[in-house]
Structures are given as structure tokens and as C-alpha cells.
Amino acid sequence: MTKSQSLRATLLAAPLLFAGFATARAEAIDTSKSIHVAMVPKLVGLSVFKANEKGAKEAAKLLNIKFLYTGPVTASAQGQVDVFNSLIARRFDVITTTSNNPTQLAPALKRAMKQGIKVVSYDSDVAPDARDFFIQNTAYDALGKALVDGVAKYAGADAKVAILSSTPDATIQNEWIKALKAYMTSAYPKMTIVTTQYGQSSPSQSLTAGLNILQANPDVTGIIAPDGAAEVGAAAAAQKLGKTGKVFVTGCSDPDSIRQYVKAGIIRESPLWDEVKEGMLVMYVARLAANKAIGPNSTFTAGSLGTFTAKNRVIVFSKPLIFTKANIDNYQF
């Protein structure tokens, strides 16, 4: 064993308690053969996906993965399909992706699987028969509850609320919206959703949508924005219109992007998870899938991240991590 291989084996075996998952020593992961793994986000440039990339690069070094980060410049399903076709032609070993449209991406990913390429979705799922595994950020009902509670606590149990999402077909956002509506109905029956708008995962389009929401609906006191760009756009709109302390925004964005709005009091609570460590987990699952060392219902150890369980090929990454003014400076991504 070379010195670099010995160091890699030591790092893979290091135990660490993380996010409520059990501490365990890593099982040996065969990294003797180099593999090519691509990470294809909804679009390049969005901060949450950059955080995924950062973690994926760190893990790739440990796992003998030749890593490529590539994707469309706008939130386009066809743009992702074009990228997949290129990766299939180049015979990558694993494609990992977060979906702009679960059905539109399916044919290309099924073609990849037929050619022996493993497919791992994360964040926003593709059609289940078009991937080998899905890494779900957090349980949908837990995230939906956190989003609604984050508005109700400050805007009130009878608040009029708007939703500002990414795109109409985004799998993960639609699951969260479904979950938050169910929780809102049971926990806050007097709370109402007056409009649902979309910002196309673009900060500028989300700002425009946020301004339109607040100008057209002056009685809205809460905006739930389950998308990184949408939360920033909604918060910027509330600030621009002088509604700090009158309109409360929550959503799902990285701490670096929302820090100024949290400190200004526009965002009081914002649930997410550690995007960097999720990117690391994506690479561990990709490596294990390529090795055929993970089953559809199995428990595995992902190095220092801890132990995880696949159930029907779905792996839940973390419980919601709530960013507040008190803790947001503890996180830098």
C-alpha cells in the first residue's frame, strides 16, 4: 500500500458523530480502481449547489474519483438532458443529479442505466425507475413543518401567506409544498395561502416575483420560499418595499446567501441542512453504487459522516437544520 492509499484508508475509517446519525467505523470501501463521476445540478452558479460541489470534491479525493461538475446555466430540464447525453457518450461510471423535471430527464437516464452507468439523484428526485438511488435531503414532512412553523411563529397562526418556489415541475419543491400544505391545514387551519409564484431559481426573477407578490397582495405577512434563489429574492423584495418586521420570509437557502436578511430580521428562521456534507454523501453513494457494494435496503457507513440506511433505494440525509440570528455565523457555505 502506498503512502497516499494508507492515508485514504485512515481517513475513511475515522469516526465522527454527525447530525444524529450513529457513530460507526467505516467498512472498507474499495478505492483501488479510479472511476469517473459527474455531478449535474439544476443549474451551475447557484450557491447551494456550489456547496454540494465543495463537499463532493473533498470526498472524491478520498475515494479515488475523477470528478466533474457540470450543468446548464439556467434551470432547464432540456439543458440537463443535453449534459447527460454528453456524459453517456463519454462513458462516465456514475451520473449524479438534482432534477429540474423528473419525467423529462428519465429517458436519458434510463439509457445511461442500460449502458451500465449508475445514476444517483439527490436533493430533487428523478422518476424512481430512472435512478439507482435517491439521497433525500430530509424527510418531506419534517421540512414542511419547519417552513410553516418558521412563518407562524412571527406572522401569526392566521397569517396570509404566499409561496415563491423555483419552477412548476421541480420535484423537491413540489413535495415540500405538498407537505407544508398538509401540515398547515392540520396545525394552523386559519392560515391561508393567497398565491403561489415561481422565480425559475433565478435571484433576479425571484426578486421580481417577490415584489409582484407583495405589491399585489398587501395583506401578505409571510412568504415561504422553498428554493435558494427564491428565498433571497423574497427577502430582498420585503426589504426593498420597507416591510422589515411586517413581512416574514422563510425558505431553503445556504447561510451565506441569507445571512444579511437573517441579521436584518426579515428571515427569522430558515431550515436547511449541511449542503457541503450532503455533497460528500453523494460521492460515497456513487462510489458504493459503482462498486455494487450497496443494496436497495441496506445500511452503510460513509466515512466520517456516519452510518446511513437505504430503504427502497432512498437515503435520508439529515434532520432540518434551522438557521437563526443566533447560530448562522457558525456556518460558512
Side-chain angles (χ1 to χ4, degrees):
M1 180 180 287
T2 66
K3 183 176 180 181
S4 62
Q5 288 173 326
S6 177
L7 175 59
R8 183 181 295 119
T10 300
L11 290 170
L12 288 173
L16 177 70
L17 184 66
F18 168 66
F21 293 109
T23 302
R25 298 193 68 82
E27 298 174 0
I29 298 176
D30 183 1
T31 61
S32 58
K33 179 184 176 182
S34 178
I35 61 172
H36 290 79
V37 178
M39 175 173 269
V40 184
K42 293 180 180 180
L43 72 165
V44 295
L46 197 60
S47 53
V48 289
F49 299 140
K50 288 181 180 179
N52 292 152
E53 179 192 12
K54 179 181 178 181
K57 282 183 175 179
E58 292 177 12
K61 292 176 183 178
L62 299 176
L63 297 167
N64 197 14
I65 290 172
K66 293 181 179 178
F67 175 77
L68 174 67
Y69 182 79
T70 181
V73 296
T74 60
S76 162
Q78 184 56 52
Q80 287 188 300
V81 170
D82 292 342
V83 172
F84 297 153
N85 289 335
S86 173
L87 297 171
I88 293 168
R90 295 164 65 182
R91 303 196 65 79
F92 267 66
D93 296 290
V94 185
I95 295 173
T96 71
T97 189
T98 174
S99 164
N100 278 309
N101 181 299
T103 55
Q104 195 171 339
L105 270 54
L109 293 175
K110 288 180 182 178
R111 187 166 63 255
M113 295 171 71
K114 285 182 180 178
Q115 296 187 24
I117 298 171
K118 297 297 183 182
V119 176
V120 177
S121 62
Y122 65 96
D123 179 60
S124 190
D125 201 8
V126 300
D129 61 348
R131 46 79 170 159
D132 294 283
F133 292 95
F134 169 47
I135 299 171
Q136 185 175 317
N137 305 316
T138 188
Y140 295 140
D141 58 348
L143 202 283
K145 179 180 184 300
L147 288 168
V148 175
D149 286 345
V151 165
K153 190 180 297 185
Y154 303 100
D158 59 350
K160 288 182 170 56
V161 176
I163 294 175
L164 177 55
S165 191
S166 56
T167 61
D169 297 322
T171 313
I172 189 70
Q173 275 79 21
N174 287 340
E175 290 291 347
W176 290 336
I177 292 169
K178 179 181 176 181
L180 73 85
K181 284 181 176 178
Y183 176 70
M184 187 184 294
T185 298
S186 63
Y188 303 102
K190 293 184 179 181
M191 186 178 288
T192 56
I193 298 171
V194 300
T195 184
T196 299
Q197 303 293 329
Y198 301 94
Q200 305 300 316
S201 288
S202 162
S204 60
Q205 291 186 61
S206 296
L207 170 59
T208 299
L211 290 170
N212 290 340
I213 286 170
L214 294 176
Q215 289 171 334
N217 304 278
D219 54 349
V220 163
T221 55
I223 299 178
I224 299 175
D227 169 68
E231 185 177 19
V232 172
Q239 188 176 62
K240 187 178 182 67
L241 295 175
K243 291 184 176 288
T244 300
K246 299 177 182 178
V247 172
F248 299 93
V249 175
T250 189
C252 302
S253 189
D254 62 282
D256 286 352
S257 295
I258 62 172
R259 197 180 311 278
Q260 61 175 309
Y261 303 112
V262 171
K263 292 187 175 183
I266 298 168
I267 298 172
R268 297 292 182 89
E269 294 186 4
S270 184
L272 195 69
W273 45 86
D274 191 320
E275 295 279 8
V276 176
K277 289 184 177 179
E278 184 182 32
M280 295 178 70
L281 180 61
V282 172
M283 289 302 105
Y284 274 96
V285 174
R287 177 84 246 193
L288 290 167
N291 291 359
K292 299 180 180 179
I294 180 174
N297 296 283
S298 60
T299 298
F300 64 95
T301 302
S304 63
L305 297 177
T307 301
F308 298 81
T309 298
K311 293 183 179 180
N312 296 322
R313 300 184 294 124
V314 175
I315 301 155
V316 176
F317 168 60
S318 173
K319 294 180 180 180
L321 170 62
I322 310 296
F323 298 125
T324 66
K325 190 174 182 179
N327 72 0
I328 195 164
D329 283 339
N330 296 335
Y331 300 93
Q332 309 292 326
F333 65 85

